[in-house]
Amino acid sequence: MKLYCLSGHPTLPCNVLKFKSTTIMLDCGLDTTAVLHFLPLPLVHSPRLSKLPGWVSKDGTISLEKELKECAGRVFVDSLPEFCPPERELVDLSTIDVILISNYHCMMALPYITEHTGFTGTVYATEPTLQIGRLLMEELVAFMERVPKAQSATCWKNKEIQRLLPGPLKEAVEVWTWRRCYSMQEVNSALSKVQLVGYSQKVELFGAVQVTPLSSGYALGSSNWIIQSHYEKVSYVSGSSLLTTHPQPMDQSSLKNSDVLILTGLTQIPTANPDGMLGEFCSNLAMTIRAGGNVLVPCYSSGVIYDLLECLYQFIDSANLASTPLYFISPVANSSLEFSQIFAEWLCQNKQSKVYLPEPPFPHAELIQTNKLKHYPGIYGDFSNEFRQPCVVFTGHPSLRFGDVVHFMELWGKSSLNTVIFTEPDFSYLDALAPYQPLAMKCVYCPIDTRLNFHQVAKLLKEVQPLHVVCPEQYTQPPPTQSHRSDLMLELQPPPMPYRRCSVLGLPFRRRYERIQLLPELAKSLVPAEIKPGISVATVSAVLQTKDNKHVLQPPPKPAPAPPSKKRKRVIEEPPELMSPKPLLSGALPLEPFLSLLHKHGIMEVKVEDTPDGHILHLQAEDTLIQLEEDSTHIVCDNNEALRATLRDLVLRFLQKL
Amino acid sequence: MPEIKVTPLGAGQDVGRSCILVSIGGKNIMLDCGMHMGYNDDRRFPDFSYITQNGRLTEFLDCVIISHFHLDHCGALPYMSEMVGYDGPIYMTHPTKAICPILLEDFRKITVDKKGETNFFTSQMIKDCMKKVVPLNLHQTVQVDDELEIKAYYAGHVLGAAMVQIKVGSESVVYTGDYNMTPDRHLGAAWIDKCRPDVLISESTYATTIRDSKRCRERDFLKKVHETVERGGKVLIPVFALGRAQELCILLETFWERMNLKAPIYFSTGLTEKANHYYKLFITWTNQKIRKTFVQRNMFEFKHIKAFDRSYADNPGPMVVFATPGMLHAGQSLQIFKKWAGNEKNMVIMPGYCVQGTVGHKVLSGQKKLEMEGRTTLEVKLQVEYMSFSAHADAKGIMQLIRMAEPRNVLLVHGEAKKMEFLKDKIEQEFSVSCFMPANGETATIPTNPSVPVDISLSLLKREAALGGPLPDPKRPRTMHATLIMKDSSLRLVCPEQALKELGLNEHQLRFTCRVQLQDPHSDPDTLNRIYSHLKSVLKGYTVQHLPDGTVMVESIVLKVSSSAEEPNTKVVLLSWSYQDEDLGSFLSSLLRKGLPP
């Protein structure tokens, strides 16, 4: 049993588990932090960006003015942004049998894995994961394709050149594996391979392994997975939350008794309390609006935004901001808001019970109905006509490199009245802002990451008691910026097995047993004998049949009745069928009872001679010797086959057969 | 021998008050708890005294499962749980959980408030009953207790309708509830995997019907409605608030839009708007097309269909009215029917099944004079049309489901005895499985033959698999020998050596030694050689070796030749074998005793 690690990003994992002849990919997260090295893609022509100076090395020998631009002392690649997909060399992707998806953020690399790789397997995901994942992919593709950029920069990736570039571009790794965004066609093809599953649904893989998604409490339809056979159990924990937000609470108890627990997707901001951040978000928002400024919230189109809207639903009335328009701008804004209302089964109890009334589970329905929240597919069209300031705009992409957010950064960046509030934890806000410097706009960092923190994980692991824990190496030491915080790491006994990109781990357990079915006819024919109190044994002679990785024992076929053969005389010449050996024997042959049994069978003249280890019995009339020892019996009988057979059967009476 | 027992308390050779008891692997499950539309007395509810004469049912039932929200499947639930007494879990899907209490409350109002019956469940009882409900998701495996697990499958029929698989150990039962095997305008088709249950309990409402294409029926329906409206008549369509109503609304809505018709369509108020809201929120339970397009256009937001007011019934001119309930047995549909029955221009279209005893049933069977309450008679002049839009599987659909699930036995409920008889024969013929159709209160006992799960040591399994070769030879199956160790409740199959070791037993060696005398005028090595070639020719398929130390080995049996100096031609062949080689050893000694061939 082995684990191949294709991604080094702890919250966007991609691991491959080989278990009982199945190859299972756990998540396929797409590391999008690579886009921070690129210049933003403006929706409308930006004079500022186009006037940025090209980069020339200090000694003037290398000039990549077309590919690299300098802004406020940092160098950016002027090209269509690229992502860092999972490693493709470590495992032959065409051998992957199934992909298990834990939540919609962790499936963004799916087209890179399933398309043009020979992949023929099945992807398993819950319905919300599929639907919202599709929206996020659609959005990503729309963002990229809306502003076509012909140029593709590759010169800078040359090792010799990259070495000379200033940081952080110099430190960027795996740059040759970076890829452009996929197309909508590839998304559709990839998603057509998804098979929907429900929580606690037991899915059989080739009869060998059973996989089950469990609620993980982090997002709509988010799941952890149990991968098990009858005897071994691997839990895959990815992006789980114990906070009560909108999703169904996390199922913890089903993780118990795992042999191995693979732990990924812990909070990226272990020092920030989501509730406190939510409060800060509201107060900053109110302050800016009251001062006449606008608020920009760069965010994903699903997830925390539902909680932010719910929070604002309660907040705006009390803060006297009910007349401030809220705008949600995304190609998938409408779909995201609509979809959130139809997944009652996947929501927390509180929201579920609303559906029974029947009322929409999320209050953003009411915000839309009362015209407080408006959604638009983009900044063009209706939005430009209806747009009123001051306002709050929710829009993507949180990296600030593409999407409508770029436009608002350019538009509002110059005024100190405006505020950008970062709520998504995936990107460093300073890096995200770098190409917009110098910036007059206020910046507030309120990352809301509801995933498990180290304290919660320690408690969880104590409760579910896995034998071994596997986790990204980042979790085995304190964060580099807070190296003194030993509380911000996993401390376990035995210590967790760390992995990094391209690691191959041998998982520490040995399989000993397998499930087999005895057909009822066979079971009925067995004759158990009690060997010790409470323990019985029976010898089984049966035919093994294995089909679809399921094993069945059938009664052995009855020998075909010998055909009335003319060569009857020759029968004895026929050697016995090559058969498996007779059962093993166990037990002891007690002298006195054996002698009396011999006596009963007409063998009277027995001379017993004691030896150091037992006795030798001379059957004088028959000229036969029987040597008895504690663990052996030796019958020496020369010319009387019938007698030998009798003696054999008498001896067998005292012994147990196994 | 283990067996599964199935006893219908309702819906046994009948339609109405579905309630089926199943005993499987020591667990007792109640499937559905419905009321009978055709009765107003005690027979309305299943006879729970069958389960126990005195008192509460909690200790006799492990769980109750409700398949869908129709009252003939859940109408007796509050009576059972609150008045008879049951505190265990009640399972139903989310939409059923949402809609069921509303229909129950409606039913209660009609019975208690309008008909003035006492000794009936109260609103509070409905609420208390619903508190015991555990929601069920599709395909989710719910562990009721350590041994009993249930799993829901999509059944079509109505919003939230489910089939359930009940499993204890390796025994299982599937109960279909009501289902539909053809997708319609708002719901998908029922689906189940090849789960091979021991018993499939199927509804059989349309056991003998094979329905024509749905398209024809729809065209027929629209034509009749259109014609009546054109000549200024009124059309009454009695429906239940949820289910067929939405299907027909979508049908009429699109037709009105296409034909640009102006005649008003009404839907009797109360439940309707709420009902449509449920459909919007549970859109994931509808069919693929609606689910795909719901963001752009929600099919349950109707433009042409408006809420009905009692006073509209007397308005002049044509109109179409959907009114509840569906069998004309009470409520608004019956009131409107009374008003419109006298005019031959009008029409009533019954889109579903009517239970015996209801006005709907009488009208459909062609009665022209109806006795109403208070000894008045009602003359029926309006046109009566029956059009089967109820979403039940027809005979073809039932056979299709059996093919899908591959059950070992089939048991029919929710149908008329005569029709069941016909279907039973057909099933037994086509699938060669036993088919049962117990009447109410009658128990069908179905023997099961579960195989015994055992833990086999992996080393043994792998060794056997390797010996068996890459492909098994069906003509010469290999027999494997192993020891089954039974300790407490665990059953383990290991190789005999391991069994000895585990049980702390020593092996007892049983050996045989045999000296056979041969007359052979050759030297000892030559005799051995001759033995070697003899055995080699007789024992095909065995390993026969001539070893350099002057012995011959057949498998693990050693043969030696010696002679005394006095009688050099009398050779003594010494054979020695262990009990494990007994068959071969015995054969060899007999063979050699017959001497060597010249």
Side-chain angles (χ1 to χ4, degrees):
Chain A
M1 167 139 165
K2 280 194 165 156
L3 188 72
Y4 299 78
C5 309
L6 311 190
S7 160
H9 196 298
T11 30
L12 298 166
C14 182
N15 295 313
V16 173
L17 179 72
K18 290 203 178 180
F19 177 34
K20 274 188 85 179
S21 72
T22 56
T23 306
I24 302 171
M25 179 178 272
L26 305 169
D27 275 331
C28 51
L30 181 62
D31 188 347
T32 48
T33 50
V35 301
L36 293 174
H37 297 291
F38 292 77
L39 271 193
L41 280 183
L43 274 175
V44 285
H45 178 75
S46 157
R48 184 186 71 85
L49 287 173
S50 58
K51 275 185 210 148
L52 289 177
W55 178 80
V56 183
S57 66
K58 271 184 197 145
D59 53 2
T61 49
I62 301 169
S63 156
L64 288 174
E65 288 183 56
K66 282 222 164 124
E67 290 199 352
L68 301 175
K69 305 279 181 192
E70 232 176 323
C71 175
R74 271 173 88 157
V75 175
F76 296 93
V77 182
D78 187 12
S79 148
L80 211 55
E82 293 179 328
F83 309 123
C84 179
E87 185 60 43
R88 293 181 56 159
E89 304 302 321
L90 199 60
V91 176
D92 179 359
L93 295 179
S94 68
T95 63
I96 305 242
D97 296 312
V98 296
I99 303 181
L100 309 180
I101 303 292
S102 57
N103 63 67
Y104 45 77
H105 287 301
C106 289
M107 65 186 285
M108 299 299 279
L110 203 54
Y112 294 119
I113 304 289
T114 63
E115 304 310 299
H116 321 298
T117 56
F119 174 82
T120 55
T122 310
V123 183
Y124 289 98
T126 62
E127 185 165 9
T129 302
L130 170 67
Q131 301 298 359
I132 297 173
R134 180 195 295 280
L135 294 182
L136 295 182
M137 287 181 175
E138 260 176 45
E139 186 186 45
L140 203 60
V141 174
F143 283 159
M144 294 295 178
E145 292 183 350
R146 230 163 35 178
V147 272
K149 199 163 191 173
Q151 186 181 336
S152 179
T154 50
C155 295
W156 70 272
K157 291 185 182 174
N158 186 312
K159 262 193 192 137
E160 291 308 308
I161 295 177
Q162 198 202 349
R163 210 163 47 85
L164 301 170
L165 299 178
L169 209 47
K170 185 180 167 181
E171 288 91 42
V173 288
E174 317 267 350
V175 293
W176 281 107
T177 68
W178 291 7
R179 303 269 298 269
R180 286 180 157 209
C181 188
Y182 30 73
S183 69
M184 205 52 221
Q185 197 191 351
E186 287 166 324
V187 170
N188 286 330
S189 170
L191 295 184
S192 71
K193 298 172 174 101
V194 175
Q195 188 155 336
L196 296 181
V197 287
Y199 287 150
S200 309
Q201 180 177 346
K202 294 176 179 171
V203 182
E204 287 276 334
L205 303 183
F206 319 105
V209 179
Q210 195 182 58
V211 296
T212 310
L214 304 173
S215 176
S216 78
Y218 166 59
L220 265 175
S222 70
S223 27
N224 294 321
W225 290 84
I226 303 283
I227 301 124
Q228 64 186 341
S229 67
H230 284 289
Y231 307 93
E232 301 88 17
K233 177 169 172 180
V234 179
S235 295
Y236 174 57
V237 174
S238 163
S240 302
S241 176
L242 291 172
L243 297 179
T244 332
T245 58
H246 58 272
Q248 211 182 93
M250 177 180 178
D251 179 350
Q252 299 178 61
S253 58
S254 304
L255 299 172
K256 275 185 189 161
N257 305 321
S258 309
D259 296 289
V260 172
L261 188 142
I262 303 170
L263 180 68
T264 65
L266 300 185
T267 178
Q268 303 187 75
I269 318 289
T271 47
N273 169 347
D275 278 331
M277 289 293 130
L278 212 53
E280 232 172 274
F281 170 79
C282 286
S283 63
N284 278 294
L285 180 137
M287 231 151 45
T288 306
I289 298 288
R290 286 200 189 106
N294 299 299
V295 175
L296 178 62
V297 188
C299 61
Y300 291 115
S301 293
S302 181
V304 176
I305 184 170
Y306 304 142
D307 299 320
L308 292 179
L309 289 174
E310 180 156 5
C311 172
L312 287 180
Y313 168 79
Q314 289 155 357
F315 178 73
I316 50 176
D317 284 327
S318 63
N320 253 331
L321 298 171
S323 59
T324 310
L326 308 174
Y327 299 118
F328 177 17
I329 302 170
S330 156
V332 299
N334 185 24
S335 300
S336 165
L337 293 173
E338 288 285 339
F339 269 113
S340 67
Q341 305 288 19
I342 65 161
F343 291 127
E345 280 119 305
W346 310 88
L347 293 172
C348 62
Q349 190 101 50
N350 201 343
K351 295 226 171 322
Q352 227 170 57
S353 54
K354 281 199 159 177
V355 181
Y356 297 148
L357 296 177
E359 272 173 26
F362 284 98
H364 53 241
E366 201 185 316
L367 288 175
I368 295 170
Q369 218 167 31
T370 53
N371 265 328
K372 286 174 186 159
L373 171 66
K374 294 191 170 192
H375 53 83
Y376 301 92
I379 51 168
Y380 295 115
D382 293 345
F383 175 69
S384 46
N385 302 327
E386 294 168 19
F387 174 49
R388 277 192 298 123
Q389 303 197 57
C391 62
V392 182
V393 170
F394 296 88
T395 190
H397 184 271
S399 65
L400 305 190
R401 290 304 180 271
F402 44 85
D404 301 273
V405 72
V406 176
H407 177 74
F408 288 98
M409 283 305 295
E410 295 285 336
L411 186 71
W412 290 344
K414 290 160 226 131
S415 165
S416 61
L417 283 178
N418 302 326
T419 307
V420 54
I421 308 181
F422 291 88
T423 55
E424 299 289 352
D426 284 1
F427 302 93
S428 141
Y429 80 108
L430 290 174
D431 289 340
L433 288 170
Y436 297 95
Q437 299 295 356
L439 203 65
M441 181 183 210
K442 279 199 290 282
C443 303
V444 179
Y445 186 54
C446 312
I448 297 171
D449 196 333
T450 57
R451 285 172 278 213
L452 296 176
N453 60 34
F454 288 99
H455 177 68
Q456 290 165 326
V457 156
K459 215 172 135 198
L460 174 73
L461 291 179
K462 210 169 171 188
E463 202 124 294
V464 305
Q465 297 276 359
L467 290 183
H468 301 277
V469 173
V470 176
C471 70
E473 61 175 357
Q474 288 94 331
Y475 297 160
T476 57
Q477 62 222 20
T481 50
Q482 289 150 299
S483 51
H484 61 288
R485 293 286 299 268
S486 61
D487 57 327
L488 301 183
M489 61 179 279
L490 276 181
E491 271 182 296
L492 299 171
Q493 221 33 261
M497 304 171 63
Y499 73 80
R500 61 171 71 178
R501 192 175 166 111
C502 291
S503 297
V504 179
L505 304 183
L507 296 186
F509 60 80
R510 260 191 61 199
R511 295 177 46 224
R512 285 173 204 282
Y513 285 99
E514 181 63 271
R515 178 57 59 93
I516 197 166
Q517 301 284 336
L518 302 190
L519 284 193
E521 305 83 68
L522 177 67
K524 256 175 254 159
S525 72
L526 297 181
V527 191
E530 190 163 38
I531 290 228
K532 289 181 177 177
I535 303 176
S536 309
V537 297
T539 1
V540 179
S541 293
V543 174
L544 171 70
Q545 227 197 32
T546 299
K547 205 164 82 182
D548 298 336
N549 284 318
K550 300 267 184 232
H551 312 288
V552 173
L553 278 184
Q554 301 173 328
K558 289 189 186 97
S565 164
K566 287 173 199 161
K567 305 175 192 165
R568 258 197 98 87
K569 279 182 203 159
R570 286 212 46 179
V571 165
I572 194 138
E573 299 272 308
E574 291 289 321
E577 281 277 320
L578 191 55
M579 294 246 278
S580 300
K582 297 247 182 232
L584 290 186
L585 303 173
S586 174
L589 203 57
L591 181 64
E592 288 307 322
F594 183 57
L595 284 176
S596 66
L597 191 67
L598 287 177
H599 203 86
K600 241 189 238 167
H601 282 77
I603 301 165
M604 309 297 185
E605 281 181 73
V606 181
K607 198 180 130 208
V608 180
E609 178 188 327
D610 287 344
T611 63
D613 297 318
H615 317 275
I616 294 179
L617 278 56
H618 294 265
L619 280 56
Q620 286 169 329
E622 293 81 5
D623 188 21
T624 291
L625 279 184
I626 303 175
Q627 189 178 349
L628 295 185
E629 283 177 13
E630 196 187 338
D631 287 327
S632 70
T633 303
H634 194 168
I635 299 175
V636 182
C637 171
D638 288 340
N639 285 314
N640 193 340
E641 179 63 14
L643 173 70
R644 191 189 64 82
T646 310
L647 290 176
R648 175 193 70 199
D649 293 340
L650 293 182
V651 170
L652 286 178
R653 282 198 201 179
F654 291 94
L655 298 176
Q656 287 148 348
K657 291 154 209 80
L658 289 161
Chain B
M1 181 176 283
E3 57 194 21
I4 295 173
K5 286 184 178 171
V6 183
T7 315
L9 297 187
Q13 303 180 5
D14 185 20
V15 176
R17 66 161 198 207
S18 283
C19 184
I20 296 138
L21 299 178
V22 172
S23 296
I24 171 173
K27 305 284 168 183
N28 298 313
I29 298 114
M30 179 186 284
L31 300 167
D32 280 335
C33 189
M35 47 110 27
H36 204 295
M37 302 281 186
Y39 299 119
N40 281 324
D41 50 22
D42 280 352
R43 290 172 297 174
R44 179 163 54 196
F45 293 140
D47 180 11
F48 297 112
S49 66
Y50 177 90
I51 302 171
T52 171
Q53 286 292 337
N54 35 17
R56 308 174 64 79
L57 304 176
T58 312
E59 56 181 300
F60 300 95
L61 293 176
D62 292 279
C63 74
V64 174
I65 303 169
I66 303 295
S67 65
H68 65 284
F69 60 63
H70 277 155
L71 287 176
D72 59 330
H73 292 260
C74 70
L77 196 56
Y79 171 75
M80 190 270 308
S81 75
E82 304 311 308
M83 298 174 76
V84 180
Y86 169 72
D87 298 319
I90 301 170
Y91 292 94
M92 53 177 84
T93 66
H94 282 274
T96 308
K97 185 184 173 191
I99 295 165
C100 164
I102 295 168
L103 296 185
L104 286 171
E105 179 59 28
D106 201 51
F107 169 46
R108 189 197 66 79
K109 266 191 205 147
I110 291 176
T111 320
V112 177
D113 299 355
K114 296 221 171 113
K115 292 190 190 160
E117 279 188 48
T118 51
N119 191 23
F120 204 72
F121 55 78
T122 63
S123 295
Q124 189 54 44
M125 285 178 183
I126 299 177
K127 281 183 193 138
D128 292 341
C129 164
M130 293 314 288
K131 280 183 197 147
K132 297 170 186 170
V133 171
V134 183
L136 204 54
N137 293 332
L138 283 185
H139 301 168
Q140 173 193 18
T141 309
V142 175
Q143 215 70 46
V144 176
D145 57 37
D146 287 345
E147 288 153 339
L148 173 62
E149 62 179 46
I150 57 177
K151 178 177 177 182
Y153 291 92
Y154 191 79
H157 188 62
V158 289
L159 194 74
M163 308 193 272
V164 272
Q165 182 194 38
I166 299 137
K167 210 169 157 189
V168 180
S170 57
E171 295 172 280
S172 67
V173 171
V174 168
Y175 172 58
T176 64
D178 292 357
Y179 63 103
N180 188 9
M181 293 301 285
T182 44
D184 57 26
R185 276 164 196 272
H186 78 291
L187 294 172
W191 179 85
I192 194 161
D193 51 17
K194 193 167 288 185
C195 54
R196 299 196 175 101
D198 290 298
V199 189
L200 174 78
I201 306 176
S202 173
E203 66 134 325
S204 51
T205 323
Y206 289 113
T208 55
T209 324
I210 291 186
R211 282 181 295 177
D212 47 359
S213 98
K214 214 177 51 158
R215 202 174 271 263
C216 292
R217 255 177 297 144
E218 289 180 355
R219 205 168 43 216
D220 234 30
F221 170 78
L222 291 171
K223 198 172 136 211
K224 281 182 179 135
V225 172
H226 192 196
E227 281 170 3
T228 311
V229 171
E230 284 285 281
R231 64 168 182 259
K234 297 176 167 63
V235 183
L236 171 66
I237 308 171
V239 287
F240 288 99
L242 293 116
R244 288 308 85 195
Q246 279 68 28
E247 177 78 5
L248 295 174
C249 281
I250 293 175
L251 191 62
L252 279 189
E253 168 93 5
T254 40
F255 185 70
W256 249 237
E257 190 137 336
R258 200 172 72 226
M259 305 294 284
N260 200 13
L261 297 181
K262 293 283 176 272
I265 310 177
Y266 297 115
F267 203 129
S268 68
T269 44
L271 288 175
T272 331
E273 249 166 289
K274 225 176 174 181
N276 287 341
H277 222 95
Y278 281 117
Y279 278 82
K280 284 185 220 164
L281 292 171
F282 286 113
I283 212 104
T284 51
W285 286 79
T286 60
N287 70 23
Q288 194 124 33
K289 195 181 155 201
I290 292 186
R291 260 158 43 197
K292 247 185 161 162
T293 55
F294 91 103
V295 176
Q296 288 80 42
R297 179 166 182 220
N298 199 317
M299 287 299 271
F300 300 104
E301 275 161 18
F302 300 114
K303 270 190 261 171
H304 297 273
I305 301 169
K306 300 190 175 62
F308 182 75
D309 185 278
R310 193 174 298 215
S311 63
Y312 294 174
D314 298 320
N315 284 1
M319 67 174 85
V320 180
V321 175
F322 289 96
T324 56
M327 300 187 192
L328 285 180
H329 53 280
Q332 203 156 35
S333 62
L334 187 58
Q335 283 171 17
I336 300 174
F337 179 77
K338 283 185 199 161
K339 277 193 179 157
W340 293 358
N343 190 337
E344 59 270 18
K345 270 208 293 191
N346 297 341
M347 179 182 281
V348 60
I349 300 181
M350 308 294 300
Y353 185 89
C354 286
V355 167
Q356 242 178 9
T358 59
V359 175
H361 188 85
K362 288 175 194 158
V363 172
L364 274 183
S365 56
Q367 283 191 33
K368 288 296 166 197
K369 281 198 176 143
L370 299 177
E371 277 180 43
M372 305 308 280
E373 285 154 36
R375 289 199 206 147
T376 55
T377 52
L378 181 69
E379 248 186 289
V380 182
K381 285 188 182 159
L382 89 176
Q383 297 177 52
V384 178
E385 292 290 343
Y386 171 70
M387 230 167 269
S388 157
F389 275 99
S390 36
H392 291 280
D394 61 2
K396 219 167 78 192
I398 296 170
M399 303 300 270
Q400 202 182 336
L401 186 85
I402 296 175
R403 210 163 291 128
M404 262 178 159
E406 285 191 3
R408 293 191 183 90
N409 299 277
V410 177
L411 190 146
L412 300 177
V413 294
H414 202 279
E416 289 159 32
K418 262 190 200 155
K419 297 181 180 176
M420 274 185 185
E421 202 82 58
F422 177 82
L423 185 66
K424 172 175 152 46
D425 288 348
K426 224 175 118 180
I427 291 170
E428 287 181 337
Q429 255 172 38
E430 193 165 333
F431 300 103
S432 6
V433 298
S434 314
C435 185
F436 302 80
M437 40 175 284
N440 286 337
E442 189 188 332
T443 301
T445 305
I446 299 147
T448 58
N449 212 356
S451 50
V452 182
V454 162
D455 301 343
I456 183 170
S457 100
L458 203 60
S459 52
L460 175 64
L461 183 68
K462 282 194 170 156
R463 196 179 71 193
E464 277 303 314
L467 286 173
L471 282 173
D473 181 356
K475 285 182 199 149
R476 294 193 57 181
R478 257 186 64 81
T479 307
M480 131 178 174
H481 294 265
T483 305
L484 185 68
I485 305 179
M486 288 164 263
K487 188 181 171 186
D488 301 327
S489 60
S490 86
L491 295 173
R492 284 177 311 125
L493 197 62
V494 297
C495 58
E497 292 82 1
Q498 193 185 338
L500 280 180
K501 213 161 116 193
E502 262 184 49
L503 297 170
L505 299 175
N506 288 327
E507 189 186 345
H508 190 101
Q509 292 276 356
L510 175 57
R511 284 198 77 79
F512 304 97
T513 300
C514 215
R515 277 167 302 203
V516 178
Q517 290 192 351
L518 285 176
Q519 292 303 321
D520 197 42
H522 298 277
S523 71
D524 289 0
D526 282 352
T527 307
L528 194 70
N529 245 332
R530 279 161 49 76
I531 291 175
Y532 171 68
S533 19
H534 180 46
L535 293 182
K536 192 90 183 162
S537 70
V538 174
L539 294 169
K540 301 237 161 58
Y542 285 82
T543 15
V544 184
Q545 289 166 290
H546 191 170
L547 299 178
D549 65 346
T551 56
V552 165
M553 262 189 86
V554 181
E555 298 290 325
S556 56
I557 301 177
V558 180
L559 288 89
K560 278 184 200 162
V561 174
S562 59
S563 55
S564 56
E566 301 88 66
E567 287 180 85
N569 286 350
T570 304
K571 310 287 182 190
V572 177
V573 184
L574 187 84
L575 285 128
S576 181
W577 68 90
S578 75
Y579 173 63
Q580 276 68 42
D581 292 319
E582 167 67 9
D583 289 339
L584 187 60
S586 154
F587 171 79
L588 282 180
S589 61
S590 316
L591 183 75
L592 290 176
R593 258 181 218 120
K594 275 181 271 161
L596 292 174

